[in-house]
Amino acid sequence: MGLTGGPNRTAMNEAASGPDQTSLELSPAGSTQNSADRMAAVVARAADASCAMIHITDRQHLRLIGGHGMPPGFEHRQPAPIASTLAGLVLHSGFPVAIRDTHSDIRVPIDAPVRSTSLRSYAGFPIRDPDGNIVGVCAVANTTCRDWSPEQLAGVDDGAQACTAFVAEFLAREREHHQRVFLDTLLDSLDTGVAACDAGGRMVLVNRSLRERLGTDTVAGGAEDWAARLPITDPNGTPVPAPQTSLLRALHGESVRGAEHLLHLHGQRRLFRINGHPIASDQGQPLGAVAVFHDITAAHHADRLQQMLNRTKDDYLNLVGHELRTPLSIIGLYLDELHIADPDTPAAVLQPMIAGARRGSERLRRLVEQLLDLSALDAGRSPLHRADINLSAEVADTVRQLTARAVDNDITLSCQVPDHVPQHADRARMRQLVHVLLDNALAYTPAGGSIIVTLTTHRSAVELTVEDTGYGIPAHELPHVFERFFRGAIATEKAIPGTGLGLTIAQLIAERHHGTITAAPNPGHHRGTTLHVSLPH
C-alpha cells in the first residue's frame, strides 16, 4: 500500500524496471494537493477511519495525490512494486478490497509496505473515469483490526465516486502541464528565436535563444512594451516603432512573412528575418500571436560574398580577355616580325619592333605587380614599415616625377604643400598612394586640363586632396570607384588603358594607415573629380 506522510511529501523514484515491476511513487500533486487532502479527510470521517488516501494510476505507476492521518515515516520509504501494495490488489481485481487484519490476511503480499506500519485494517475502492476505466484507488486504513461495516464501506465507495470528476480533472491538468513542459523544452532547444503573446497582448513566451540574444530573462509584461524595448531598426538603420514589429502586426490579425530587420545586440548588428503569425482556435477565436526570429546574418553575408565572387570572376575573365590579351598580342606580333626579318636587317629598322614588344612587356609587368600587391594587402602579407617621415617632401617629390608626363599630355600639374608635415607612416606606401591618385587623374584628364594636389594639416588629421578637371564620374558610379576591377563607362568610351585596381590599392593603403579615402565631383568645375584622403595625425 502506498502512503506518504503529511503535506511535505516528496517524489520517490520508480522501482527496478521490468514488465511486471510497475511501482508505487509517492509524489506531490502540485496545485491540487490541498483539495485531494481535504477529500481524503472527508472519506476518513465518513468511514470513521484514522487514515485515508487517494491514489491515481497510469497502469505503470501508482501515485498518492491526497492523504489524511498518514503514519509518520512514509515519505522516506523506498518505492515498492504495485503488486506488493494493497492498492495494487484493488487495481488488479477491479473490485473493492476490505481487509480486517493486514498482518494475517493471506491476500496481503509478504513484502507489502503496510506490514511494517502500525496500520492493521484496510478498505479500498476503485476510482473510475466516466468511461468506466479504473484511474485510481480511494482507500481508508485503521491502526486496529476492524470488520468494516456496510456504512463505513459505503462512505469509502461514495468517496471513490466523488473522486471520479476530481481525478479526471487532475489528470487532464497534468497532461496539459506535461504538454506545456514538452513544448517549452522543445522551443528552448531551438536556435531560432520565438516570442509569443496571448490575445490580450500579455507576453507568455520568449524562448531561450531569443532571451540569450537580447541578454534578458524578462518575459512578463505587455507585448507592446516588450516590442518597444527591442533594439530593432530596418536595414537602413531607421528605428522600427513597436506597432510595426512582426509580433504586434500579427496580434492585430496580419500574417507577416519575410520582414527583414536589424537587431543591435552587444555592439553588433545582426540581420533577422522575422515572421509573425496570428494564433486562433478552430472556431476562429483569436488566442494570441507568435513571432519567429531567424538570424540570416551569415546567410546574407554568404550571399554577398557569392555575388562578389561571381563579379570578381567575371572581372578576371574581362581582365584576361582584354588587359592581358592586348599586350600579349602586341608582343607576339612584334616577335613574329622579328622572327621573319632578314638577318641582315639594320638594327635601326628593328628598334621600333623591339620597343613595341618592350612596352607590351612593361604593361604586363605592371598588371602582375598590381595583382600581387593587391593580394598581399588583402591577406595582410605586406606589413607596413612605419617611420617618422616628412609627408610634404614625399608628396612634392612624387608630383615632380609625374610632371613630365603631365607636360607631354598638355595638362597643368600644380602642388600646394607646406614645407614640413610630419607623419608616422610607411614611406613607400605613401608615395605609392600619391602616385596612384595622380596616375588616375592624369589618365582621365584631357589635354588642356589641370590637376591640383593639396596637403593640409588639422589638429587631428592630415588631408591630401587631388582635384582634376577631367571627364568626371557619373553619380551612379561614385559608390563603385574603389571596387576592384571597376572601370567606368568613360574608360570604355575613351579607350583609356587600366586595370581598375589602382584606386582599390589606394583605399587599402589608406585603411592600413587607419585613414579614409573618398571620391566626389570637383566642386569648383562643371566637370572633374576630387579624391580626398584623410590620415590620422
Side-chain angles (χ1 to χ4, degrees):
M1 177 179 64
L3 306 173
T4 63
N8 294 322
R9 47 175 73 96
T10 58
M12 300 183 68
N13 295 328
E14 187 175 337
S17 60
D20 298 321
Q21 296 203 30
T22 53
S23 67
L24 161 69
E25 289 184 349
L26 310 178
S27 64
S31 62
T32 60
Q33 178 180 318
N34 291 336
S35 298
D37 287 343
R38 288 196 297 270
M39 176 67 74
V42 170
V43 174
R45 286 194 296 272
D48 191 22
S50 60
C51 172
M53 61 219 82
I54 300 172
H55 296 93
I56 62 171
T57 180
D58 59 4
R59 298 185 183 276
Q60 296 295 319
H61 306 88
L62 183 68
R63 289 191 293 146
L64 183 71
I65 64 169
H68 173 76
M70 312 301 294
F74 267 80
E75 64 272 22
H76 303 300
R77 288 188 175 276
Q78 296 298 315
I82 290 180
S84 298
T85 67
L86 296 182
L89 294 178
V90 180
L91 295 174
H92 180 70
S93 67
F95 294 99
V97 172
I99 296 176
R100 181 181 185 279
D101 185 356
T102 58
H103 289 193
S104 62
D105 196 305
I106 61 173
R107 293 174 296 174
V108 180
I110 193 66
D111 57 345
V114 72
R115 290 184 179 275
S116 62
T117 73
S118 60
L119 298 177
R120 297 297 299 272
S121 54
Y122 172 86
F125 280 71
I127 301 172
R128 299 180 183 273
D129 64 16
D131 295 327
N133 301 309
I134 297 178
V135 294
V137 175
C138 179
V140 293
N142 216 41
T143 55
T144 60
C145 296
R146 168 187 288 186
D147 290 316
W148 297 95
S149 69
E151 292 79 9
Q152 292 169 338
L153 294 176
V156 183
D157 189 15
D158 290 342
Q161 299 298 323
C163 283
T164 296
F166 172 81
V167 170
E169 180 183 356
F170 171 81
L171 292 175
R173 289 184 179 179
E174 188 171 63
R175 283 193 295 270
E176 181 183 350
H177 172 71
H178 288 166
Q179 290 173 354
R180 179 60 185 266
V181 170
F182 175 82
L183 180 60
D184 286 349
T185 303
L186 176 64
L187 292 173
D188 273 346
S189 70
L190 299 176
D191 289 332
T192 300
V194 181
C197 63
D198 61 20
R202 183 177 63 88
M203 294 298 297
V204 295
L205 169 72
V206 178
N207 76 335
R208 173 197 54 80
S209 176
L210 190 53
R211 292 197 308 270
E212 289 179 353
R213 290 179 184 278
L214 297 176
T216 178
D217 290 328
T218 303
V219 178
E224 188 163 356
D225 290 339
W226 182 83
R229 292 194 300 270
L230 283 178
I232 189 172
T233 67
D234 66 16
N236 296 322
T238 304
V240 177
Q244 295 302 314
T245 59
S246 296
L247 182 62
L248 269 295
R249 290 168 64 186
L251 182 61
H252 292 97
E254 181 183 355
S255 290
V256 183
R257 300 194 67 85
E260 294 188 1
H261 297 296
L262 288 171
L263 281 179
H264 301 258
L265 306 170
H266 316 299
Q268 296 182 342
R269 299 189 308 170
R270 306 290 297 181
L271 183 63
F272 282 81
R273 180 177 292 120
I274 308 174
N275 298 329
H277 307 280
I279 304 174
S281 67
D282 293 339
Q283 294 74 35
Q285 179 183 2
L287 300 178
V290 61
V292 183
F293 293 67
H294 300 278
D295 190 339
I296 60 171
T297 307
H300 182 73
H301 184 59
D303 286 343
R304 290 187 59 190
L305 287 178
Q306 185 62 47
Q307 293 172 6
M308 291 177 61
L309 179 62
N310 291 338
R311 189 170 64 219
T312 300
K313 179 180 66 176
D314 293 339
D315 291 336
Y316 267 113
L317 291 175
N318 291 334
L319 179 71
V320 172
H322 184 268
E323 294 302 326
L324 290 177
R325 185 171 61 185
T326 300
L328 283 173
S329 298
I330 294 173
I331 294 172
L333 177 63
Y334 284 124
L335 288 177
D336 288 342
E337 291 293 328
L338 289 171
H339 179 70
I340 63 176
D342 189 283
D344 296 328
T345 303
V349 176
L350 299 178
Q351 282 300 322
M353 291 182 281
I354 296 173
R358 182 179 291 111
R359 287 194 298 271
S361 174
E362 180 63 21
R363 184 172 174 179
L364 279 177
R365 184 188 64 79
R366 287 198 303 269
L367 174 59
V368 171
E369 286 181 348
Q370 282 187 318
L371 287 171
L372 292 175
D373 198 22
L374 179 63
S375 176
L377 287 169
D378 264 341
R381 297 193 305 268
S382 179
L384 296 181
H385 301 286
R386 292 177 178 269
D388 293 329
I389 64 173
N390 180 4
L391 189 56
S392 290
E394 305 304 331
V395 171
D397 189 49
T398 306
V399 171
R400 281 193 295 271
Q401 290 180 7
L402 292 172
T403 299
R405 176 180 165 189
V407 172
D408 291 342
N409 293 328
D410 191 22
I411 297 172
T412 303
L413 176 59
S414 59
C415 181
Q416 301 173 2
V417 298
D419 292 335
H420 187 79
V421 174
Q423 186 73 9
H424 190 69
D426 186 309
R427 184 190 307 273
R429 288 298 186 185
M430 285 293 101
R431 293 177 71 93
Q432 183 183 8
L433 173 63
V434 178
H435 191 283
V436 167
L437 300 185
L438 284 175
D439 184 68
N440 184 80
L442 288 168
Y444 288 90
T445 301
S450 63
I451 299 172
I452 302 176
V453 180
T454 306
L455 183 67
T456 58
T457 61
H458 301 283
R459 184 171 58 183
S460 60
V462 175
E463 312 287 341
L464 172 65
T465 302
V466 177
E467 297 181 6
D468 65 57
T469 59
Y471 301 114
I473 303 173
H476 68 276
E477 291 185 354
L478 279 173
H480 307 289
V481 295
F482 295 103
E483 295 177 3
R484 60 197 63 198
F485 303 114
F486 176 79
R487 307 202 67 218
I490 194 68
T492 303
E493 178 186 339
K494 302 292 184 181
I496 299 173
T499 62
L501 296 177
L503 290 182
T504 303
I505 293 174
Q507 183 183 51
L508 287 172
I509 294 173
E511 290 176 349
R512 291 288 299 277
H513 285 83
H514 308 293
T516 60
I517 182 171
T518 58
N522 193 334
H525 300 80
H526 295 297
R527 298 198 310 176
T529 302
T530 298
L531 292 170
H532 179 82
V533 178
S534 178
L535 299 170
H537 200 20

